[in-house]
Amino acid sequence: MESSLRSAAFGDGVPPPDRFAVPASPRGRLLAAIGLGARGRYAAAATLLNGLRANGGPVFASLAASTLASHRRQLGGHAAALVLDGEALSSVISEPRGEPDPDGLDAEGARADALLGLAADNLGRGRLTAARRLLARASVHSGNWRTRTRAGWVGAEIELAGNISGAAIAPAEMAWETAHARGACRHVVKSSLVLAVTIANAGSAERDRAKALVESARETAEKCEFNSLLWVACLLEADFGAGHADEYRSRSAELLHAVLRHADPCGRWLARESPWVPL
């Protein structure tokens, strides 16, 4: 069961036959929560993650807090995510390395997740200097593909926020290449969206490539039911001048409202209050 959940979270993205039945182990529960969150089922994911925060042991409590923080950020709740990422770092700051996990579900990966989360939280609140400092700290723990991919996303977003669009392309390309090399479908989708935005913002002559990246990301997200990313992909496809822009905007709004129907009360409130979520 854990193997199919890991594949759904970090591999081909295909949902397991039992639709995220929850194993007993902390790792299995975390993987199930990651898969649920990717599909926009935030309330079900939060139930599992809060249980792990309470009794998953230091590493899985930290990873659970970081994962819940990422779900809060996806709904525009950077301040709420900041608290959770601080909790995640505190849980694992002095934990020994232990047995390494290929996807970073270990002490080193947990430290990196917390630091990258804190960098993204500060970025979302306009604190670019703090975000850069935390990204640099996270790079010390960049031993696994997932950390490198996420560092590429955050690095690109920092440069975009600082209006250094040309400098955003290199970390975005690195994230895209790393996710592709791992065969991590969900990470390829997000990396494609990040890379497309960086290319477009740099005024690059590769705008056709950016449009193709968004189209591919949307198609893959639809196939794998990555609703947490699909509404964003549809919105970007409309913004990139797709032939049916109004249709894509309408589809994006429908998907976002469907995601919010499957969010917990805190997530829905954060989305309503956020300037980042187009409600």
Side-chain angles (χ1 to χ4, degrees), residues 67-94:
T67 302
L68 186 56
S70 74
H71 297 171
R72 298 309 191 210
R73 273 195 305 278
Q74 287 162 17
L75 295 176
H78 293 84
L82 185 71
V83 176
L84 288 162
D85 283 316
E87 173 190 315
L89 186 59
S90 176
S91 295
V92 81
I93 189 68
S94 59

PDB file of all heavy atoms in Angstrom, residues 67-94:
ATOM      1  N   THR A  67       3.748  19.941   5.526  1.00  0.00           N
ATOM      2  CA  THR A  67       2.773  19.634   4.479  1.00  0.00           C
ATOM      3  C   THR A  67       1.497  20.440   4.672  1.00  0.00           C
ATOM      4  O   THR A  67       0.949  21.007   3.717  1.00  0.00           O
ATOM      5  CB  THR A  67       2.462  18.127   4.475  1.00  0.00           C
ATOM      6  OG1 THR A  67       3.673  17.393   4.277  1.00  0.00           O
ATOM      7  CG2 THR A  67       1.472  17.779   3.370  1.00  0.00           C
ATOM      8  N   LEU A  68       1.013  20.510   5.919  1.00  0.00           N
ATOM      9  CA  LEU A  68      -0.170  21.315   6.193  1.00  0.00           C
ATOM     10  C   LEU A  68       0.098  22.786   5.879  1.00  0.00           C
ATOM     11  O   LEU A  68      -0.771  23.491   5.345  1.00  0.00           O
ATOM     12  CB  LEU A  68      -0.594  21.146   7.652  1.00  0.00           C
ATOM     13  CG  LEU A  68      -1.902  21.822   8.065  1.00  0.00           C
ATOM     14  CD1 LEU A  68      -3.074  21.363   7.202  1.00  0.00           C
ATOM     15  CD2 LEU A  68      -2.191  21.559   9.535  1.00  0.00           C
ATOM     16  N   ALA A  69       1.306  23.257   6.175  1.00  0.00           N
ATOM     17  CA  ALA A  69       1.676  24.634   5.844  1.00  0.00           C
ATOM     18  C   ALA A  69       1.594  24.871   4.334  1.00  0.00           C
ATOM     19  O   ALA A  69       1.110  25.917   3.884  1.00  0.00           O
ATOM     20  CB  ALA A  69       3.080  24.937   6.347  1.00  0.00           C
ATOM     21  N   SER A  70       2.047  23.904   3.546  1.00  0.00           N
ATOM     22  CA  SER A  70       1.988  24.078   2.091  1.00  0.00           C
ATOM     23  C   SER A  70       0.545  24.149   1.609  1.00  0.00           C
ATOM     24  O   SER A  70       0.219  24.918   0.697  1.00  0.00           O
ATOM     25  CB  SER A  70       2.736  22.953   1.381  1.00  0.00           C
ATOM     26  OG  SER A  70       2.018  21.737   1.423  1.00  0.00           O
ATOM     27  N   HIS A  71      -0.347  23.376   2.248  1.00  0.00           N
ATOM     28  CA  HIS A  71      -1.770  23.455   1.888  1.00  0.00           C
ATOM     29  C   HIS A  71      -2.339  24.828   2.242  1.00  0.00           C
ATOM     30  O   HIS A  71      -3.158  25.378   1.493  1.00  0.00           O
ATOM     31  CB  HIS A  71      -2.555  22.351   2.592  1.00  0.00           C
ATOM     32  CG  HIS A  71      -2.152  20.970   2.183  1.00  0.00           C
ATOM     33  ND1 HIS A  71      -2.593  19.835   2.824  1.00  0.00           N
ATOM     34  CD2 HIS A  71      -1.331  20.538   1.183  1.00  0.00           C
ATOM     35  CE1 HIS A  71      -2.069  18.773   2.246  1.00  0.00           C
ATOM     36  NE2 HIS A  71      -1.295  19.170   1.252  1.00  0.00           N
ATOM     37  N   ARG A  72      -1.921  25.372   3.385  1.00  0.00           N
ATOM     38  CA  ARG A  72      -2.389  26.715   3.763  1.00  0.00           C
ATOM     39  C   ARG A  72      -1.889  27.750   2.754  1.00  0.00           C
ATOM     40  O   ARG A  72      -2.624  28.670   2.365  1.00  0.00           O
ATOM     41  CB  ARG A  72      -1.903  27.074   5.172  1.00  0.00           C
ATOM     42  CG  ARG A  72      -2.406  26.167   6.303  1.00  0.00           C
ATOM     43  CD  ARG A  72      -3.895  25.982   6.280  1.00  0.00           C
ATOM     44  NE  ARG A  72      -4.405  25.346   7.497  1.00  0.00           N
ATOM     45  CZ  ARG A  72      -5.485  24.570   7.535  1.00  0.00           C
ATOM     46  NH1 ARG A  72      -6.166  24.319   6.432  1.00  0.00           N
ATOM     47  NH2 ARG A  72      -5.874  24.039   8.678  1.00  0.00           N
ATOM     48  N   ARG A  73      -0.629  27.628   2.322  1.00  0.00           N
ATOM     49  CA  ARG A  73      -0.096  28.573   1.334  1.00  0.00           C
ATOM     50  C   ARG A  73      -0.854  28.479   0.023  1.00  0.00           C
ATOM     51  O   ARG A  73      -1.099  29.484  -0.640  1.00  0.00           O
ATOM     52  CB  ARG A  73       1.393  28.311   1.075  1.00  0.00           C
ATOM     53  CG  ARG A  73       2.324  28.996   2.006  1.00  0.00           C
ATOM     54  CD  ARG A  73       3.756  28.993   1.492  1.00  0.00           C
ATOM     55  NE  ARG A  73       4.235  27.653   1.202  1.00  0.00           N
ATOM     56  CZ  ARG A  73       4.723  26.810   2.118  1.00  0.00           C
ATOM     57  NH1 ARG A  73       4.787  27.170   3.382  1.00  0.00           N
ATOM     58  NH2 ARG A  73       5.148  25.618   1.768  1.00  0.00           N
ATOM     59  N   GLN A  74      -1.207  27.248  -0.387  1.00  0.00           N
ATOM     60  CA  GLN A  74      -1.928  27.067  -1.642  1.00  0.00           C
ATOM     61  C   GLN A  74      -3.278  27.776  -1.623  1.00  0.00           C
ATOM     62  O   GLN A  74      -3.825  28.093  -2.685  1.00  0.00           O
ATOM     63  CB  GLN A  74      -2.093  25.580  -1.925  1.00  0.00           C
ATOM     64  CG  GLN A  74      -0.805  24.898  -2.348  1.00  0.00           C
ATOM     65  CD  GLN A  74      -0.846  23.379  -2.204  1.00  0.00           C
ATOM     66  OE1 GLN A  74      -1.920  22.782  -2.081  1.00  0.00           O
ATOM     67  NE2 GLN A  74       0.312  22.750  -2.219  1.00  0.00           N
ATOM     68  N   LEU A  75      -3.793  28.037  -0.425  1.00  0.00           N
ATOM     69  CA  LEU A  75      -5.042  28.786  -0.287  1.00  0.00           C
ATOM     70  C   LEU A  75      -4.787  30.231   0.142  1.00  0.00           C
ATOM     71  O   LEU A  75      -5.697  30.921   0.579  1.00  0.00           O
ATOM     72  CB  LEU A  75      -5.960  28.080   0.716  1.00  0.00           C
ATOM     73  CG  LEU A  75      -6.450  26.694   0.265  1.00  0.00           C
ATOM     74  CD1 LEU A  75      -7.266  26.032   1.360  1.00  0.00           C
ATOM     75  CD2 LEU A  75      -7.265  26.787  -1.024  1.00  0.00           C
ATOM     76  N   GLY A  76      -3.541  30.677   0.015  1.00  0.00           N
ATOM     77  CA  GLY A  76      -3.215  32.068   0.276  1.00  0.00           C
ATOM     78  C   GLY A  76      -2.921  32.410   1.718  1.00  0.00           C
ATOM     79  O   GLY A  76      -2.760  33.591   2.051  1.00  0.00           O
ATOM     80  N   GLY A  77      -2.821  31.412   2.590  1.00  0.00           N
ATOM     81  CA  GLY A  77      -2.630  31.672   4.018  1.00  0.00           C
ATOM     82  C   GLY A  77      -1.181  31.645   4.452  1.00  0.00           C
ATOM     83  O   GLY A  77      -0.768  30.752   5.214  1.00  0.00           O
ATOM     84  N   HIS A  78      -0.402  32.626   4.030  1.00  0.00           N
ATOM     85  CA  HIS A  78       1.036  32.615   4.328  1.00  0.00           C
ATOM     86  C   HIS A  78       1.329  32.824   5.812  1.00  0.00           C
ATOM     87  O   HIS A  78       2.275  32.240   6.349  1.00  0.00           O
ATOM     88  CB  HIS A  78       1.748  33.682   3.494  1.00  0.00           C
ATOM     89  CG  HIS A  78       1.729  33.392   2.029  1.00  0.00           C
ATOM     90  ND1 HIS A  78       0.666  33.723   1.224  1.00  0.00           N
ATOM     91  CD2 HIS A  78       2.627  32.770   1.233  1.00  0.00           C
ATOM     92  CE1 HIS A  78       0.918  33.332  -0.020  1.00  0.00           C
ATOM     93  NE2 HIS A  78       2.097  32.754  -0.038  1.00  0.00           N
ATOM     94  N   ALA A  79       0.540  33.641   6.489  1.00  0.00           N
ATOM     95  CA  ALA A  79       0.777  33.864   7.924  1.00  0.00           C
ATOM     96  C   ALA A  79       0.484  32.600   8.722  1.00  0.00           C
ATOM     97  O   ALA A  79       1.233  32.227   9.639  1.00  0.00           O
ATOM     98  CB  ALA A  79      -0.083  35.023   8.427  1.00  0.00           C
ATOM     99  N   ALA A  80      -0.595  31.905   8.382  1.00  0.00           N
ATOM    100  CA  ALA A  80      -0.917  30.648   9.056  1.00  0.00           C
ATOM    101  C   ALA A  80       0.149  29.599   8.767  1.00  0.00           C
ATOM    102  O   ALA A  80       0.532  28.810   9.651  1.00  0.00           O
ATOM    103  CB  ALA A  80      -2.288  30.154   8.602  1.00  0.00           C
ATOM    104  N   ALA A  81       0.643  29.570   7.533  1.00  0.00           N
ATOM    105  CA  ALA A  81       1.686  28.615   7.164  1.00  0.00           C
ATOM    106  C   ALA A  81       2.977  28.889   7.919  1.00  0.00           C
ATOM    107  O   ALA A  81       3.706  27.952   8.290  1.00  0.00           O
ATOM    108  CB  ALA A  81       1.934  28.680   5.661  1.00  0.00           C
ATOM    109  N   LEU A  82       3.269  30.162   8.165  1.00  0.00           N
ATOM    110  CA  LEU A  82       4.495  30.529   8.875  1.00  0.00           C
ATOM    111  C   LEU A  82       4.546  29.879  10.257  1.00  0.00           C
ATOM    112  O   LEU A  82       5.591  29.369  10.678  1.00  0.00           O
ATOM    113  CB  LEU A  82       4.571  32.050   9.004  1.00  0.00           C
ATOM    114  CG  LEU A  82       5.840  32.640   9.617  1.00  0.00           C
ATOM    115  CD1 LEU A  82       7.011  32.508   8.660  1.00  0.00           C
ATOM    116  CD2 LEU A  82       5.622  34.110   9.964  1.00  0.00           C
ATOM    117  N   VAL A  83       3.434  29.875  10.951  1.00  0.00           N
ATOM    118  CA  VAL A  83       3.371  29.261  12.283  1.00  0.00           C
ATOM    119  C   VAL A  83       3.639  27.765  12.180  1.00  0.00           C
ATOM    120  O   VAL A  83       4.401  27.188  12.969  1.00  0.00           O
ATOM    121  CB  VAL A  83       1.998  29.521  12.933  1.00  0.00           C
ATOM    122  CG1 VAL A  83       1.891  28.792  14.266  1.00  0.00           C
ATOM    123  CG2 VAL A  83       1.783  31.022  13.129  1.00  0.00           C
ATOM    124  N   LEU A  84       3.036  27.113  11.193  1.00  0.00           N
ATOM    125  CA  LEU A  84       3.205  25.676  11.025  1.00  0.00           C
ATOM    126  C   LEU A  84       4.628  25.318  10.619  1.00  0.00           C
ATOM    127  O   LEU A  84       5.195  24.327  11.093  1.00  0.00           O
ATOM    128  CB  LEU A  84       2.219  25.163   9.977  1.00  0.00           C
ATOM    129  CG  LEU A  84       0.762  25.112  10.417  1.00  0.00           C
ATOM    130  CD1 LEU A  84      -0.162  25.019   9.218  1.00  0.00           C
ATOM    131  CD2 LEU A  84       0.530  23.946  11.370  1.00  0.00           C
ATOM    132  N   ASP A  85       5.232  26.107   9.747  1.00  0.00           N
ATOM    133  CA  ASP A  85       6.614  25.828   9.347  1.00  0.00           C
ATOM    134  C   ASP A  85       7.583  26.060  10.506  1.00  0.00           C
ATOM    135  O   ASP A  85       8.588  25.345  10.637  1.00  0.00           O
ATOM    136  CB  ASP A  85       7.000  26.684   8.139  1.00  0.00           C
ATOM    137  CG  ASP A  85       6.413  26.148   6.845  1.00  0.00           C
ATOM    138  OD1 ASP A  85       6.463  24.922   6.631  1.00  0.00           O
ATOM    139  OD2 ASP A  85       5.913  26.954   6.034  1.00  0.00           O
ATOM    140  N   GLY A  86       7.289  27.050  11.349  1.00  0.00           N
ATOM    141  CA  GLY A  86       8.100  27.232  12.551  1.00  0.00           C
ATOM    142  C   GLY A  86       7.995  26.028  13.470  1.00  0.00           C
ATOM    143  O   GLY A  86       9.001  25.562  14.044  1.00  0.00           O
ATOM    144  N   GLU A  87       6.790  25.507  13.611  1.00  0.00           N
ATOM    145  CA  GLU A  87       6.584  24.284  14.399  1.00  0.00           C
ATOM    146  C   GLU A  87       7.379  23.120  13.801  1.00  0.00           C
ATOM    147  O   GLU A  87       8.006  22.331  14.524  1.00  0.00           O
ATOM    148  CB  GLU A  87       5.096  23.944  14.419  1.00  0.00           C
ATOM    149  CG  GLU A  87       4.747  22.618  15.066  1.00  0.00           C
ATOM    150  CD  GLU A  87       3.296  22.236  14.839  1.00  0.00           C
ATOM    151  OE1 GLU A  87       2.412  23.105  15.006  1.00  0.00           O
ATOM    152  OE2 GLU A  87       3.048  21.066  14.484  1.00  0.00           O
ATOM    153  N   ALA A  88       7.341  23.009  12.478  1.00  0.00           N
ATOM    154  CA  ALA A  88       8.043  21.924  11.797  1.00  0.00           C
ATOM    155  C   ALA A  88       9.541  21.979  12.052  1.00  0.00           C
ATOM    156  O   ALA A  88      10.179  20.956  12.333  1.00  0.00           O
ATOM    157  CB  ALA A  88       7.766  21.995  10.296  1.00  0.00           C
ATOM    158  N   LEU A  89      10.111  23.169  11.967  1.00  0.00           N
ATOM    159  CA  LEU A  89      11.548  23.304  12.199  1.00  0.00           C
ATOM    160  C   LEU A  89      11.896  23.006  13.647  1.00  0.00           C
ATOM    161  O   LEU A  89      12.884  22.312  13.941  1.00  0.00           O
ATOM    162  CB  LEU A  89      12.008  24.708  11.819  1.00  0.00           C
ATOM    163  CG  LEU A  89      13.522  24.953  11.884  1.00  0.00           C
ATOM    164  CD1 LEU A  89      14.272  23.997  10.964  1.00  0.00           C
ATOM    165  CD2 LEU A  89      13.846  26.401  11.521  1.00  0.00           C
ATOM    166  N   SER A  90      11.080  23.492  14.573  1.00  0.00           N
ATOM    167  CA  SER A  90      11.327  23.245  15.986  1.00  0.00           C
ATOM    168  C   SER A  90      11.298  21.753  16.309  1.00  0.00           C
ATOM    169  O   SER A  90      12.103  21.268  17.114  1.00  0.00           O
ATOM    170  CB  SER A  90      10.269  23.981  16.819  1.00  0.00           C
ATOM    171  OG  SER A  90      10.411  23.696  18.185  1.00  0.00           O
ATOM    172  N   SER A  91      10.419  21.001  15.658  1.00  0.00           N
ATOM    173  CA  SER A  91      10.279  19.571  15.944  1.00  0.00           C
ATOM    174  C   SER A  91      11.510  18.773  15.564  1.00  0.00           C
ATOM    175  O   SER A  91      11.802  17.736  16.170  1.00  0.00           O
ATOM    176  CB  SER A  91       9.068  18.999  15.190  1.00  0.00           C
ATOM    177  OG  SER A  91       7.867  19.559  15.658  1.00  0.00           O
ATOM    178  N   VAL A  92      12.237  19.252  14.538  1.00  0.00           N
ATOM    179  CA  VAL A  92      13.274  18.399  13.970  1.00  0.00           C
ATOM    180  C   VAL A  92      14.654  19.055  13.984  1.00  0.00           C
ATOM    181  O   VAL A  92      15.614  18.469  13.497  1.00  0.00           O
ATOM    182  CB  VAL A  92      12.852  18.016  12.530  1.00  0.00           C
ATOM    183  CG1 VAL A  92      13.163  19.126  11.537  1.00  0.00           C
ATOM    184  CG2 VAL A  92      13.434  16.697  12.099  1.00  0.00           C
ATOM    185  N   ILE A  93      14.766  20.234  14.585  1.00  0.00           N
ATOM    186  CA  ILE A  93      16.001  21.011  14.479  1.00  0.00           C
ATOM    187  C   ILE A  93      17.217  20.254  14.992  1.00  0.00           C
ATOM    188  O   ILE A  93      18.314  20.342  14.442  1.00  0.00           O
ATOM    189  CB  ILE A  93      15.852  22.383  15.196  1.00  0.00           C
ATOM    190  CG1 ILE A  93      17.036  23.293  14.900  1.00  0.00           C
ATOM    191  CG2 ILE A  93      15.661  22.197  16.692  1.00  0.00           C
ATOM    192  CD1 ILE A  93      17.110  23.759  13.480  1.00  0.00           C
ATOM    193  N   SER A  94      17.052  19.460  16.052  1.00  0.00           N
ATOM    194  CA  SER A  94      18.196  18.759  16.629  1.00  0.00           C
ATOM    195  C   SER A  94      18.121  17.249  16.435  1.00  0.00           C
ATOM    196  O   SER A  94      18.870  16.494  17.045  1.00  0.00           O
ATOM    197  CB  SER A  94      18.296  19.070  18.128  1.00  0.00           C
ATOM    198  OG  SER A  94      17.109  18.676  18.793  1.00  0.00           O
TER     199      SER A  94
END
